[in-house]
Amino acid sequence: MFESVAPWIAYAAAAVLGYVLGSIPFGLLLTRAAGLGDVRSIGSGNIGATNVLRTGNRKLAAATLLFDLLKGTAAVLAVRMLMPQAPEADALAGVAAFLGHLFPVWLGFKGGKGVATYIGVLLGLFWPAVLIFAGIWIAVAYFSRYSSLAALIATVAVPLALWGLGENLLAAVFAGLTVIVWLKHRANIRRLLAGTEGRIGHKS
């Protein structure tokens, strides 16, 4: 479809497509469709799966997690298929999808924290690294019982693993995404340091 356009147009289209896909607020749409109101009015006010879980509907939370993940993967794969003449345009689309999830224009640039979409982009760009992420997340979550801590440590491990595997460009990309994830988790980090972060399986 875009094979004959100039590379710079393909890159611009990749960024726009990635952002639009990433900015779809599945958590908000699913909770409203289920008659649960605006998920932004409860808990952290976030549109991600963790806050959707605070509605008490685990199925909706799982669906939100899945869709937030897959929109990152979809952005990467769609651009890879549509714009083969633009090297690394798929990575650009992935970054744009991640930023779209965090800063959706439709919601006043107030979106989620990005972990699910981070994983989805990783799945599209270098799927073996998802196994590394999952293994570290499971191990840290099992021993600490902190989901946020597990995610934060796993995001640090990903760029290091990519660098060790010789994927230097992707390592740089995910190092940048990791910094943003940590910035979006500032409140969680403060609670972890204070010992007040909620543990997995513990009701507040």
Side-chain angles (χ1 to χ4, degrees):
M1 182 178 180
F2 290 92
E3 291 88 343
S4 60
V5 304
W8 72 268
I9 296 178
Y11 286 116
V16 171
L17 176 60
Y19 179 85
V20 170
L21 285 173
S23 66
I24 300 172
F26 284 111
L28 177 62
L29 296 176
L30 290 172
T31 50
R32 281 185 172 174
L36 298 176
D38 192 332
V39 71
R40 294 172 296 177
S41 66
I42 65 170
S44 65
N46 195 275
I47 62 169
T50 300
N51 205 43
V52 172
L53 186 60
R54 293 189 175 101
T55 65
N57 193 316
R58 294 185 178 182
K59 291 182 179 179
L60 275 187
T64 300
L65 177 67
L66 179 63
F67 285 128
D68 282 349
L69 186 156
L70 290 179
K71 67 187 181 183
T73 307
V76 170
L77 297 183
V79 168
R80 186 178 297 162
M81 178 180 66
L82 295 172
M83 307 169 193
Q85 83 281 24
E88 284 82 51
D90 55 352
L92 174 61
V95 171
F98 175 80
L99 294 176
H101 176 71
L102 268 61
F103 310 108
V105 63
W106 336 107
L107 303 180
F109 302 102
K110 296 178 181 179
K113 294 183 180 179
V115 174
T117 308
Y118 179 107
I119 299 169
V121 174
L122 186 62
L123 179 63
L125 291 173
F126 194 78
W127 70 263
V130 175
L131 302 179
I132 297 172
F133 183 103
I136 292 174
W137 190 95
I138 291 170
V140 175
Y142 177 81
F143 288 107
S144 73
R145 311 306 297 172
Y146 288 120
S147 176
S148 57
L149 179 63
L152 290 169
I153 292 177
T155 59
V156 170
V158 163
L160 294 175
L162 290 169
W163 178 75
L165 293 169
E167 297 289 338
N168 295 339
L169 176 60
L170 290 183
V173 168
F174 281 94
L177 299 189
T178 293
V179 170
I180 297 173
V181 167
W182 276 65
L183 290 173
K184 292 292 287 185
H185 282 76
R186 294 189 301 275
N188 301 83
I189 293 170
R190 287 194 293 268
R191 289 193 296 268
L192 284 167
L193 293 173
T196 58
E197 179 78 334
R199 291 178 182 266
I200 297 171
H202 288 204
K203 294 183 179 181
S204 58

